[in-house]
Amino acid sequence: MVVATGFFDGVHIGHRKVLGQLVEAARARGGESMVITFWPHPRTVLQKDARSLRLLSSLSEKTALIRSLGVDRVEVLDFSREFCALSCRDYLKEVVRDRFGADAILLGYDNRMGSDCCSPDQAAATAVDLGLEVIRCASIDDGGAAISSTRIRKALEEGRVDDAARMLGRPYSLHGVVVAGNRLGRSIGFPTANMQLYEPLKQLPGNGVYLVDVHTLGRDFRGMCNIGVRPTVGENRALTIETNIFGFDEDIYGLDIGLDFLARIRGERRFSSLEDLAAQLEKDKKFRL
């Protein structure tokens, strides 16, 4: 059994390189590949900047993405205060080796491990001492900077969904259920599907209008999504995620909806009238990649 361990938020192209090497190493040894990951995020348990935490993937999204890369097993451990008290040595011995039967571990370039926050070199030395084979994986960079979940979150916050997609290896996505809105969009010719996220901690792209691919009713559509407080018509300034699906007029309240963010069309702004807003939406609808 060859194991890789980490949170793997977003399963970006750096993670994919690690997991690809994991699968190859396991196959070369005639064994299984396993990812040991955690939930919830350590920051929510340790309360280090927990209020500002936003995730690139829900637990179900993360496990599905990992499995899609050919990994044989995904084990999700409860990240509790008791669990995070384990030292690097105890984690490798009690969990990786004894509990899951690993005989090899793949370490990424930035794998910090255990309550003693062992570096990759320290973790490698400990693993070898415990009888585990160590496989090292180099970082993957983007213009001289290592790709990381933190960099992807920042790109999304700034509305740079194209940069985020390049680092993720796929468009950034949101998933949720369609909930009732105020139906104002329909009155100006742009009915919208309002989304309530399944994972409330998912990172949102910065406020603005985006070109999106929409997945609902088992079909795919193109549309444009507004994320923001609707300054022209919003009264309570609550943040909304609302999508106008091109050429679509079916009732999907209470149904699943998924959005893939393709490009930012413009920032959110206030218009002097609903007529001006509708005119701008007509222009937005013509946006093409």
Side-chain angles (χ1 to χ4, degrees):
M1 177 74 72
V2 185
V3 164
T5 180
F7 194 76
F8 296 106
D9 187 28
V11 195
H12 56 62
I13 60 174
H15 295 145
R16 287 168 180 253
K17 180 179 180 181
V18 171
L19 298 176
Q21 189 169 342
L22 171 73
V23 171
E24 288 178 9
R27 288 176 179 167
R29 289 159 176 77
E32 282 190 307
S33 56
M34 175 191 286
V35 165
I36 302 174
T37 190
F38 322 105
W39 200 264
H41 194 283
R43 279 168 56 183
T44 66
V45 176
L46 302 174
Q47 297 183 347
K48 293 182 178 179
D49 303 319
R51 290 183 183 275
S52 62
L53 172 66
R54 291 297 177 267
L55 300 171
L56 298 175
S57 52
S58 67
L59 178 58
S60 61
E61 290 168 344
K62 177 170 69 170
T63 54
L65 285 166
I66 292 172
R67 290 183 187 282
S68 74
L69 298 174
V71 175
D72 295 309
R73 291 176 60 185
V74 180
E75 296 289 343
V76 182
L77 302 183
D78 179 30
F79 195 92
S80 63
R81 286 192 173 273
E82 293 75 20
F83 176 77
C84 74
L86 287 174
S87 67
C88 174
R89 184 179 187 84
D90 288 344
Y91 175 69
L92 288 172
K93 178 180 182 294
E94 297 173 15
V95 178
V96 175
R97 190 189 71 179
D98 296 348
R99 178 174 170 183
F100 291 117
D103 46 38
I105 184 166
L106 189 146
L107 295 174
Y109 75 98
D110 63 346
N111 251 145
R112 291 280 171 175
M113 195 174 295
S115 59
D116 41 353
C117 203
C118 282
S119 69
D121 287 341
Q122 292 169 324
T126 301
V128 169
D129 188 53
L130 291 169
L132 293 168
E133 180 187 355
V134 173
I135 306 162
R136 301 294 293 267
C137 189
S139 67
I140 181 169
D141 55 47
D142 176 39
I147 290 172
S148 68
S149 299
T150 299
R151 284 189 63 206
I152 297 169
R153 290 187 198 102
K154 182 171 177 57
L156 290 168
E157 287 173 2
E158 296 174 355
R160 295 184 286 111
V161 295
D162 50 344
D163 288 341
R166 187 182 67 251
M167 290 185 280
L168 285 166
R170 64 184 186 282
Y172 185 65
S173 61
L174 296 176
H175 298 92
V177 61
V178 179
V179 296
N182 62 9
R183 295 182 175 267
L184 185 60
R186 185 173 296 277
S187 71
I188 59 173
F190 288 90
T192 59
N194 287 33
M195 172 190 281
Q196 180 177 302
L197 294 174
Y198 288 135
E199 173 50 72
L201 290 182
K202 278 273 283 191
Q203 176 70 57
L204 293 180
N207 290 7
V209 180
Y210 296 87
L211 183 69
V212 293
D213 277 337
V214 185
H215 313 288
T216 190
L217 297 176
R219 291 140 58 196
D220 301 325
F221 305 89
R222 187 58 59 90
M224 57 184 182
C225 173
N226 183 83
I227 296 177
V229 296
R230 303 187 304 166
T232 304
V233 299
E235 296 178 356
N236 58 8
R237 311 296 281 181
L239 189 71
T240 61
I241 308 165
E242 48 185 355
T243 303
N244 174 247
I245 307 173
F246 301 155
F248 183 87
D249 192 27
E250 298 183 44
D251 183 0
I252 53 173
Y253 288 124
L255 301 183
D256 292 338
I257 187 170
L259 304 176
D260 292 338
F261 287 79
L262 306 179
R264 192 171 197 252
I265 299 174
R266 61 173 173 84
E268 185 179 47
R269 59 190 177 94
R270 188 179 187 280
F271 295 91
S272 59
S273 67
L274 289 178
E275 290 76 19
D276 288 346
L277 171 59
Q280 180 61 56
L281 292 174
E282 284 290 352
K283 294 178 183 176
D284 296 339
K285 190 174 181 179
K286 294 182 175 66
F287 180 91
R288 294 292 182 270
L289 289 175

